Amino acid sequence: MKRLTSFISSIVLLLATGICANAAQSMVRVSDHTPVEFGQVVTDLERADAIFIGDTHDDSELHGKQLDIIRALYAKDPHLAIGLEMFTIENQASLDQWTSGKLEEKDFIHIYSQNWSYDWSLYRDIFIFARDNRIPMIALNLPKQLIANVVRQGGQGLSEADKKELPPGEVWTLTPRQLEYMKRIRQQVFGNRPVPPRLANFDQAQALRNHSMGYRVVKFREKSPQTKVVVVAGVWHAIKNGAPDSLKEYGNCSYKVVLPELREFSWMKPTAEDVDYLIPGGE
């Protein structure tokens, strides 16, 4: 079981990470490939109910740009929340304690490390800003064991207790665009070898994570409709055909998407159907 979980984590890492550094002050509007100054981007983003910002997990410069967007949106309207891929839903109470100032940093770091393997220092400024300004943080990810069960058995193999934590439905599918990327990932991992049978449901598990993120954003906004949600999630969840596309399944929630440039985009060639703004990579 440990080997399976480790293997799943390795593929998820490939899905979520990419290359991005030295983000420029301006971003590229993908609809017309025009550089747009940061302030203009923020003005556009604030019109949306949810703003998805793609994450390359080990890139501290990108995390700084994420925080710039969060700060700018908060300055315009403090009715803001932050959705997090890096926290699983059973740890929501700990996030609530953190943002209400009831947890010391050293205690929260321990909880953070149980959820996410990347160093605390990479995300610390975002978490500190949320705590200091009492900005709600929303756990968006599902328990690792639950995802592993879906990979092994599919959604139909989950217990009734597991299903209570999930968005409605038992079958989750990826969009054609994401299926194309998954095919390339499998080629990188397995080459010409057949995919192990135990990983046959990995696409469904990935789709479930997308749907769970979208579902929890919608449910949060049902309770707090005046609050915008900034979602920080891996690029292949934050891209429009990932979690944002699932929003329509659960309610009425407009969105915008900002992604860092990735080397994978050389073959994908993203359009406005994939992303609204790109943060250019460094030289």
Side-chain angles (χ1 to χ4, degrees):
M1 187 62 207
K2 288 183 178 179
R3 292 180 64 187
L4 175 61
T5 302
S6 176
F7 191 73
I8 292 169
S9 298
S10 297
I11 299 181
V12 170
L13 177 61
L14 281 169
L15 286 170
T17 58
I19 303 297
C20 178
N22 301 319
Q25 186 63 23
S26 63
M27 301 183 195
V28 175
R29 186 170 54 217
V30 176
S31 62
D32 58 5
H33 307 288
T34 300
V36 181
E37 290 302 312
F38 181 77
Q40 292 178 267
V41 173
V42 171
T43 297
D44 187 30
L45 297 181
E46 68 175 326
R47 300 187 180 104
D49 300 323
I51 300 96
F52 288 78
I53 311 177
D55 191 33
T56 55
H57 306 320
D58 58 354
D59 188 338
S60 59
E61 290 193 35
L62 176 59
H63 299 154
K65 177 62 73 174
Q66 291 165 344
L67 181 54
D68 287 344
I69 294 172
I70 291 168
R71 279 182 173 140
L73 289 169
Y74 180 79
K76 286 175 172 287
D77 185 351
H79 294 97
L80 194 72
I82 303 171
L84 301 168
E85 178 196 2
M86 66 280 299
F87 264 73
T88 57
I89 57 177
E90 70 268 38
N91 287 280
Q92 182 61 56
S94 296
L95 279 176
D96 294 342
Q97 287 182 304
W98 169 255
T99 55
S100 62
K102 296 177 181 177
L103 274 179
E104 295 291 331
E105 184 172 346
K106 61 181 177 60
D107 298 320
F108 184 70
I109 290 174
H110 176 68
I111 298 166
Y112 167 90
S113 65
Q114 292 177 326
N115 282 264
W116 205 237
S117 61
Y118 291 87
D119 192 86
W120 164 248
S121 63
L122 289 165
Y123 292 90
R124 181 181 184 273
D125 290 348
I126 294 175
F127 280 94
I128 294 296
F129 183 78
R131 182 202 63 186
D132 290 351
N133 292 283
R134 299 294 191 263
I135 298 173
M137 304 189 96
I138 313 164
L140 297 180
N141 216 340
L142 292 168
K144 297 174 184 177
Q145 185 60 54
L146 190 154
I147 292 297
N149 289 343
V150 173
V151 171
R152 288 185 297 128
Q153 304 174 40
Q156 65 277 8
L158 295 175
S159 69
E160 290 304 315
D162 285 338
K163 291 176 183 177
K164 291 180 181 178
E165 304 292 346
L166 303 182
E170 292 189 5
V171 179
W172 304 274
T173 57
L174 293 175
T175 62
R177 190 75 153 155
Q178 288 222 328
L179 284 170
E180 178 185 3
Y181 181 72
M182 286 299 302
K183 180 179 178 181
R184 287 178 177 265
I185 283 292
R186 277 191 285 270
Q187 289 174 342
Q188 291 178 26
V189 175
F190 299 110
N192 295 322
R193 291 172 291 144
V195 177
R198 289 184 299 175
L199 294 176
N201 299 305
F202 186 81
D203 287 0
Q204 187 180 8
Q206 180 73 358
L208 172 56
R209 294 180 73 210
N210 288 339
H211 277 262
S212 179
M213 291 180 191
Y215 178 68
R216 293 183 189 286
V217 168
V218 170
K219 288 301 175 184
F220 177 87
R221 280 189 40 82
E222 284 180 357
K223 297 177 181 178
S224 185
Q226 78 282 11
T227 302
K228 296 183 187 302
V229 180
V230 176
V231 175
V232 178
V235 166
W236 300 103
H237 293 299
I239 198 167
K240 285 187 179 182
N241 51 61
D245 185 67
S246 72
L247 291 169
K248 65 180 183 290
E249 301 291 331
Y250 310 111
N252 183 19
C253 185
S254 63
Y255 65 82
K256 293 285 185 178
V257 172
V258 180
L259 301 180
E261 276 191 323
L262 302 181
R263 59 186 176 187
E264 290 90 337
F265 288 172
S266 62
W267 62 261
M268 183 181 173
K269 301 188 186 310
T271 69
E273 293 184 0
D274 302 303
V275 55
D276 294 298
Y277 295 96
L278 284 175
I279 302 173
E283 295 298 326

